[in-house]
């Protein structure tokens, strides 16, 4: 037997032995056996084939054991090597995700889980593939649920950037801000949308959205434009927010038009269309009205018009009604008249015919203007459902390519004449096609006395008859060839939204190399110099801000939440404080040093420094914001992680001079050259106040509780006396009434002025 075969057999034995140790949860021994097995496989030069082709299995299993031990960095190294050896193996990406999850790198863990989900084998007869996919999907949901709102915002901004780079959506052309400002704006949008959510959910709906978008591998263009519009609203880029909301409306129309052409119209599709259009029109209204009324880009009339359209598409949604009422009350009479004009234009059609010949050759375009007068019709009866029904019926009858080829040309109403509706129908056809013959026959039929029955034979559905009645007073139609005029207008922007869809989005580039402008007013970034993290460096959820910069105070260690640190944006250190101590963790000290030999630490009453013994590299130095007691301070160094931690004893001169004001000992910043930490960024730890001050506080608390108890008992006693007195008065009133009148009535009946028919004999 060859040496190579013997080495492979020994490696296989060590792997099986390590697998057994993993089952017994003896992870330290398992890691040692996996390491020995891997050395043998690498020494024999084995790859991923043949008897010794177990490198990827050993790496995967060792990554699992390292993860169970909490050694996530080493587990990630093994998982990355495993992915290089077996890039199509789902479990390799799963191991990578678990290591990243342990390192709190949740966004990267989601990418690894998505790669694992996509690489799970196709479903087999025993449904093993389906079970694996389901398990990965559950893990994705768990990771998404553990993310902070700021991480969700970061993921959304990155996803939109990828869509833009891939050409799925157009780049911003009017206004733009930095990525950090977009993340902050997205965070604010997620936070406000959750606060406004009436369902009572613990988390924002965007957590579920991210989960769905991950499994679907994309965000559709209409959702992307709508979401980006909301982000730009919060970033104060109103012009770009309005343009994106328009694109969202246009993409929604196009999506449902394509769906109707492919599978035919249905009731469920129509309901979904109306809800989506209402939501996108509401977002467009928000883009017009979200800033102060004196902002140059605010247009209240356009905003009210959009909210009106949202209410028309979904009249049951209270949010749209409240928005409409809120901003309609702010309109002047001139702006109100302008809103009415804008609504008439919108009802007459937002799409015309510049798109009719896109990609077409040898096709004629005929235009038919149909005028129908409903004697019993009103403007209110011409609802979105009626307009959709009329457009769909005529598009089907004349074999139009989509309902976009049928639009409203005009709408007129008078008390005497009723409601007159004008339909503009575009028929694409050859010289003597069937749809052109149908159109010519329809024009002739409207000249006959039975024109009303001709029209109602075309209309499908009951909305038109229910809202406008069945009495048609007049009808006419004109057919004309407009092919040449359409060709002349090709490429012009002669309709409101759909021209925005013309052309393909350039992959990650601004069209025409036009550089977007900065917004007129800029968003304020709250954490420019520091960010809030937990002890392991993972981001923490931002505290909800209260009025007057208030924050919660804890006097008991048992009630303290997770420790929150302020980490400088250069990632040099993170620090936190209690009433008695300042804790500093240096993050740029190398690993594997010997503290007594390699590190020089200096602690003075107002100065701290940490550097290498040679003095070539300074890891931290600075003049402290307030004084410390060096003799009672200490530091420690962890060679495995490289973290050097200071425990600085506060001098607390301010607290000693004003012992009744505990907040006097709180440092506004660490060093004099640092930026101040906002007072209400996180809760205050007063659990280690100096002993005399803590005793005085506890004494005051006991006295306060005793006083509160006495006040409470006194209040209960007074309430009982008052209730007894009230009861006595009521009984006296009932008895007096009975003695005077001989009638028995309760106190309630007496107060209501009732009279009893029953008499009591004396």
């Amino acid at each position: 037997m060859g040496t190579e075969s013997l080495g492979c057999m020994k490696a296989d034995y060590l792997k099986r032995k390590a697998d057994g140790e993993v089952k017994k949860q003896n992870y330290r021994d398992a890691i040692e056996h996996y390491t020995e097995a891997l050395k043998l496989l690498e020494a024999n030069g084995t790859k991923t084939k043949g008897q010794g082709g177990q490198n990827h299995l050993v790496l995967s299993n060792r990554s699992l054991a390292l993860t169970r031990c909490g050694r996530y960095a080493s587990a990630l190294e093994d998982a990355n090597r495993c992915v290089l050896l077996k890039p199509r193996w789902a479990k390799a990406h799963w191991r990578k995700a678990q290591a990243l999850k342990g390192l709190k790198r949740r966004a990267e863990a989601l990418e690894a889980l998505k790669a694992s989900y996509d690489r799970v084998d196709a479903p087999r007869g025993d449904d093993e593939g389906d079970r694996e996919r389901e398990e990965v999907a559950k893990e994705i949901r768990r990771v998404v649920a553990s993310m902070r709102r700021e991480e969700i915002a970061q993921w959304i901004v990155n996803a939109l950037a990828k869509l833009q780079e891939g050409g799925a959506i157009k780049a911003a052309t009017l206004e733009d801000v930095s990525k950090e400002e977009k993340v902050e704006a997205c965070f604010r949008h997620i936070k406000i949308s959750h606060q406004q959510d009436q369902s009572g959910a613990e988390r924002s709906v965007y957590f579920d959205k991210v989960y769905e978008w991950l499994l679907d591998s994309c965000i559709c263009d209409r959702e992307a434009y709508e979401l980006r519009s909301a982000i730009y609203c919060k970033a104060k880029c109103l012009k770009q927010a309005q343009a994106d909301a328009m694109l969202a409306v246009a993409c929604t129309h196009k999506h449902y038009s394509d769906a109707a052409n492919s599978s035919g119209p249905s009731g469920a599709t129509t309901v979904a269309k109306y809800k989506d259009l209402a939501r996108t029109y509401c977002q467009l209204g928000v883009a017009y009205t979200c800033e102060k009324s004196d902002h140059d880009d605010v247009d209240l009339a356009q905003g009210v018009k959009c909210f009106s359209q949202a209410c028309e598409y979904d009249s049951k949604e209270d949010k749209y009604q409240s928005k409409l009422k809120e901003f309609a009350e702010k309109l002047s009479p001139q702006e109100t008249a302008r809103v009415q004009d804008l609504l008439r234009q919108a009802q007459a059609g937002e799409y015309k015919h510049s798109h009719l010949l896109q990609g077409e050759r040898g096709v004629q375009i005929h235009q038919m203007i149909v005028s129908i007068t409903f004697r019993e019709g009103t403007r209110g009866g011409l609802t979105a459902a009626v307009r959709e029904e009329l457009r769909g019926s005529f598009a089907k009858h004349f074999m139009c390519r989509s309902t976009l080829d049928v639009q409203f040309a005009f709408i007129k109403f008078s008390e005497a004449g009723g409601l007159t509706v004008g339909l503009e129908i575009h028929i694409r056809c050859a010289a003597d096609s069937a749809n052109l013959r149908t159109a010519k026959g329809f024009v002739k039929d409207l000249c006959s006395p039975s024109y009303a029955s001709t029209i109602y034979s075309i209309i499908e559905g009951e909305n038109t008859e229910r809202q406008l009645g069945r009495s048609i007073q007049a009808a006419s139609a004109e057919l004309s060839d407009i092919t040449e005029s359409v060709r002349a207008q090709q490429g012009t922007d002669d309709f409101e939204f759909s021209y925005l869809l013309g052309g393909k989005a350039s992959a990650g580039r601004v069209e025409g190399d036009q550089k977007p402008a900065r917004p007129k007013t800029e968003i304020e970034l709250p954490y420019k110099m520091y960010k809030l993290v937990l002890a392991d460096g993972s981001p923490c959820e931002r505290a909800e801000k209260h009025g007057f910069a208030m924050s919660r105070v804890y006097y008991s260690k048992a009630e303290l939440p997770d420790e929150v640190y302020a980490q400088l944006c250069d990632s040099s250190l993170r620090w936190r404080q209690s009433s008695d101590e300042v804790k500093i963790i240096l993050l740029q000290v190398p690993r594997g040093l010997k503290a007594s030999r390699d590190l020089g630490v200096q602690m003075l009453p107002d100065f701290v420094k940490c550097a290498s013994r040679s003095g070539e590299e300074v890891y931290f130095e600075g003049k402290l914001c307030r004084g410390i007691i060096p003799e009672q301070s200490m530091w420690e160094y962890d060679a495995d992680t490289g973290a050097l931690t200071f425990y600085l004893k506060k001098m607390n001169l301010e607290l000693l001079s004003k012992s009744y004001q505990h907040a006097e000992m709180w440092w506004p910043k660490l060093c004099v050259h640092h930026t101040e930490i906002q007072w209400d960024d996180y809760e205050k730890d007063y659990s280690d106040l100096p002993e005399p001050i803590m005793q005085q506080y506890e004494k005051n608390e006991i006295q306060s509780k005793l006083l509160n108890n006495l006040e409470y008992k006194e209040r209960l006693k007074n309430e009982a006396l008052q209730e007894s007195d009230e009861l006595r008065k009521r009984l006296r009133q009932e008895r007096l009434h009975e003695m005077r009148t001989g009638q028995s009535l309760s106190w309630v009946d007496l107060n209501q002025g009732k009279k009893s028919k029953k008499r009591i004999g004396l």
Side-chain angles (χ1 to χ4, degrees):
M1 181 180 293
T3 306
E4 182 177 343
S5 299
L6 185 62
C8 292
M9 292 177 63
K10 188 175 180 180
D12 184 65
Y13 166 75
L14 288 170
K15 176 185 173 297
R16 286 187 280 107
K17 187 176 181 181
D19 292 343
E21 297 295 340
V22 169
K23 293 179 181 178
K24 298 176 184 177
Q25 299 184 359
N26 297 328
Y27 301 118
R28 188 182 300 274
D29 294 338
I31 292 170
E32 293 179 0
H33 295 324
Y34 284 133
T35 303
E36 293 177 13
L38 195 60
K39 287 179 180 178
L40 287 171
L41 292 173
E42 291 173 349
N44 290 325
T46 55
K47 305 298 180 185
T48 58
K49 297 180 181 179
Q51 184 181 4
Q54 302 186 55
N55 300 54
H56 65 286
L57 296 175
V58 175
L59 286 168
S60 172
N61 292 356
R62 189 171 71 171
S63 177
L64 168 65
L66 289 167
T67 301
R68 298 280 177 83
C69 289
R71 297 167 58 183
Y72 301 114
S74 300
L76 180 60
E77 293 177 4
D78 281 356
N80 283 329
R81 291 175 62 188
C82 187
V83 169
L84 288 175
L85 290 174
K86 283 281 188 178
R88 298 296 304 171
W89 191 32
K91 187 171 287 187
H93 297 277
W94 172 272
R95 298 285 187 237
K96 180 178 178 180
Q98 296 305 309
L100 289 167
K101 181 181 174 183
L103 292 170
K104 309 297 183 183
R105 292 157 60 178
R106 300 183 183 93
E108 297 174 66
L110 284 179
E111 294 181 8
L113 285 170
K114 183 62 171 66
S116 177
Y117 182 84
D118 293 337
R119 287 164 176 77
V120 172
D121 292 338
R124 309 182 185 98
D126 57 356
D127 296 331
E128 183 179 347
D130 286 338
R131 286 197 298 272
E132 289 181 16
R133 276 198 183 89
E134 185 178 354
E135 180 59 33
V136 178
K138 287 180 180 178
E139 182 66 10
I140 290 175
R141 180 174 286 279
R142 284 192 288 266
V143 173
V144 171
S146 68
M147 294 174 74
R148 312 295 181 186
R149 287 179 297 190
E150 198 163 359
E151 291 176 300
I152 291 290
Q154 182 83 42
W155 187 93
I156 289 175
V157 170
N158 290 337
L160 293 175
K162 289 178 182 178
L163 288 177
Q164 181 178 312
E165 291 171 2
I169 61 175
K170 296 183 178 181
T173 57
L174 302 177
E175 294 174 315
D176 205 359
V177 291
S178 65
K179 181 179 178 181
E180 291 76 16
E181 290 170 297
K182 291 178 186 176
V183 172
E184 175 64 23
C186 188
F187 167 81
R188 295 182 186 183
H189 171 65
I190 293 171
K191 177 181 176 182
I192 293 175
S193 65
H194 186 215
Q195 291 173 346
Q196 295 174 346
D197 187 7
Q198 302 297 324
S199 64
E202 294 183 1
R203 287 187 173 272
S204 169
V205 67
Y206 284 99
F207 285 82
D208 294 330
K209 285 279 189 182
V210 167
Y211 172 73
E212 294 172 7
W213 290 332
L214 268 168
L215 294 190
D216 293 341
S217 301
C218 68
I219 309 174
C220 67
D221 53 359
R222 53 201 174 93
E223 283 186 310
Y225 283 125
E226 182 184 350
L227 183 53
R228 198 172 73 173
S229 173
I231 293 173
Y232 277 128
C233 279
K234 290 294 179 286
K236 302 186 178 181
C237 300
L238 299 194
K239 285 291 185 184
Q240 189 60 49
Q242 294 160 14
D244 283 347
M246 290 180 185
L247 279 165
V249 174
C251 289
T252 303
H253 275 295
K254 185 177 184 301
H255 168 76
Y256 285 103
S257 176
D258 294 343
N261 293 336
S262 60
S263 59
S266 66
T269 303
T270 303
V271 171
K273 175 182 178 180
Y274 288 164
K275 286 187 175 294
D276 287 348
L277 282 174
R279 191 181 64 253
T280 51
Y281 270 114
C282 180
Q283 177 55 44
L284 182 55
V286 169
Y288 277 117
T289 59
C290 71
E291 269 296 318
K292 296 182 296 183
S293 58
D294 58 348
H295 194 283
D296 293 340
D297 298 333
V298 166
D299 191 335
L300 290 181
Q302 283 282 8
V304 171
K305 171 239 179 184
C306 294
F307 292 135
S308 299
Q309 290 176 284
C311 292
E312 190 173 4
Y313 280 114
D314 189 357
S315 59
K316 296 181 180 179
E317 180 60 54
D318 293 337
K319 175 184 175 183
Y320 310 147
Q321 299 286 352
S322 61
K323 286 280 187 184
L324 177 60
K325 182 179 179 181
E326 175 187 354
F327 291 101
E329 293 174 350
K330 300 179 181 179
L331 294 179
S332 65
Q334 294 80 7
E335 290 175 323
T336 302
R338 182 173 168 233
V339 170
Q340 294 173 351
D341 293 337
L342 290 171
L343 286 172
R344 291 191 196 101
Q345 294 173 11
Q347 289 177 341
E350 293 163 347
Y351 300 87
K352 293 189 180 177
H353 50 261
S354 67
H355 64 293
L356 292 175
L357 290 177
Q358 289 181 358
E360 302 282 352
R361 290 186 179 181
V363 175
Q364 294 181 355
I365 305 296
H366 285 73
Q367 176 178 277
M368 179 188 296
I369 303 296
V370 179
S371 175
I372 308 172
T373 301
F374 297 90
R375 181 178 299 171
E376 303 171 0
T378 62
R379 282 191 180 275
L382 193 63
T383 62
V386 172
R387 295 203 303 272
E388 191 71 21
E389 187 173 280
L390 288 172
R391 291 174 59 212
S393 299
F394 279 90
K396 181 179 180 181
H397 182 73
F398 294 109
M399 295 168 276
C400 297
R401 187 166 298 181
S402 72
T403 54
L404 293 179
D405 292 339
V406 180
Q407 295 295 329
F408 283 82
F410 56 86
I411 301 169
K412 300 176 183 178
F413 174 75
S414 65
E415 294 291 342
L419 179 69
T420 302
V421 176
L423 291 173
E424 183 179 305
I425 305 172
H426 296 107
I427 303 170
R428 302 183 232 195
C429 57
D432 190 27
S433 60
N435 52 353
L436 181 58
R437 290 195 298 271
T438 302
K440 291 178 178 179
F442 176 76
V443 173
K444 291 180 180 179
D445 290 342
L446 289 191
C447 297
S448 65
S450 59
Y451 60 85
S453 59
T454 300
I455 292 174
Y456 272 104
S457 65
I458 296 174
I459 298 174
E460 297 180 353
E462 301 176 353
N463 289 311
T464 304
E465 183 176 350
R466 183 171 60 252
Q467 298 290 342
L468 304 181
R470 202 171 172 81
S471 177
I472 296 180
Q473 186 172 343
S476 63
E478 295 180 3
L479 184 65
S480 58
D481 187 345
I482 61 169
T483 306
E484 295 304 322
S485 62
V486 171
R487 292 190 187 280
Q489 294 175 6
Q490 187 79 25
T492 60
D493 300 342
D494 63 340
F495 55 107
E496 189 175 356
F497 296 148
S498 62
Y499 74 90
L500 296 170
L501 298 176
K504 193 173 182 181
S506 56
R509 297 189 303 274
V510 177
E511 295 179 359
D513 295 329
Q514 178 186 356
K515 187 176 180 180
R518 291 284 301 176
K520 297 178 178 63
T521 56
E522 297 188 0
I523 187 174
E524 180 182 354
L525 293 177
Y527 302 109
K528 291 182 178 180
M529 303 302 296
Y530 65 91
K531 60 182 179 179
L532 302 177
V533 299
L534 299 178
D536 57 3
S538 60
C540 65
E541 193 67 87
R542 281 192 215 173
E544 298 291 343
K545 299 288 186 176
H546 301 281
F548 311 106
M550 297 172 63
S551 60
R552 187 170 179 180
V553 175
Y554 294 90
Y555 286 92
S556 171
K557 284 190 177 295
E559 299 176 358
L560 279 172
D562 293 336
E563 292 184 343
V564 175
Y565 289 74
Q567 178 172 307
L568 301 189
C569 285
D570 60 1
S571 298
S572 59
L573 63 87
R574 66 177 71 106
W575 73 286
R576 74 177 306 274
Q577 61 178 313
S578 62
S579 57
D580 191 56
E581 183 182 72
V582 174
K583 182 178 179 180
I584 307 173
I585 303 176
L586 303 186
L587 305 175
Q588 296 181 350
V589 180
R591 290 187 293 179
L593 301 180
K594 189 172 182 180
S596 59
R597 182 191 64 198
D598 300 325
L599 293 175
V601 177
Q602 183 181 8
M603 290 188 293
L604 300 176
D606 63 347
F607 181 81
V608 172
K609 180 178 180 180
C610 175
S612 61
R613 282 284 185 183
S614 62
E616 296 178 356
E617 190 168 2
V618 177
Y619 306 118
F620 169 69
E621 69 174 338
K623 184 177 181 181
L624 298 176
C625 173
R626 294 183 183 175
I628 63 171
I629 304 176
E631 294 78 9
Q632 298 182 29
S633 303
M634 59 174 291
W635 62 276
E636 63 177 0
Y637 171 71
D638 188 345
D640 293 333
T641 62
L644 189 145
T645 306
F646 284 99
Y647 301 92
L648 305 180
K649 174 77 172 180
K650 286 183 176 180
M651 197 174 291
N652 273 339
L653 296 178
E654 298 82 7
L655 180 62
L656 294 175
S657 62
K658 297 180 181 179
S659 60
Y660 54 90
Q661 293 185 3
H662 300 166
E664 288 295 320
M665 54 76 200
W666 205 254
W667 289 17
K669 52 187 176 180
L670 178 60
C671 298
V672 293
H673 65 279
H674 289 169
T675 185
E676 289 192 4
I677 307 298
Q678 293 295 321
W679 175 264
D680 55 349
D681 268 349
Y682 52 87
E683 291 83 1
K684 305 299 182 294
D685 178 8
Y686 291 179
S687 62
D688 56 355
L689 284 168
E691 190 66 25
I693 297 176
M694 180 62 80
Q695 289 177 356
Q696 183 63 39
Y697 165 76
E698 291 174 349
K699 180 180 178 181
N700 293 339
E701 282 294 300
I702 292 173
Q703 292 176 351
S704 177
K705 288 181 180 179
L706 289 174
L707 182 61
N708 290 337
N709 287 334
L710 288 174
E711 291 177 351
Y712 176 69
K713 291 178 180 179
E714 186 69 23
R715 186 169 65 252
L716 289 179
K717 180 180 178 181
N718 291 336
E719 289 175 355
L721 289 174
Q722 184 178 0
E723 185 177 352
S724 175
D725 189 49
E726 288 289 335
L727 180 60
R728 182 183 60 80
K729 289 179 180 179
R730 292 170 188 173
L731 291 173
R732 180 173 176 273
Q733 185 178 1
E734 292 173 359
R735 288 171 183 169
L736 283 173
H737 178 77
E738 184 176 346
M739 291 174 63
R740 290 170 180 170
T741 63
Q743 298 176 355
S744 177
L745 285 177
S746 68
W747 173 81
V748 176
D749 292 338
L750 287 174
N751 272 359
Q752 294 178 352
K754 293 184 179 180
K755 296 181 180 180
S756 176
K757 297 180 180 179
K758 182 179 180 181
R759 297 188 64 85
I760 305 297
L762 297 177

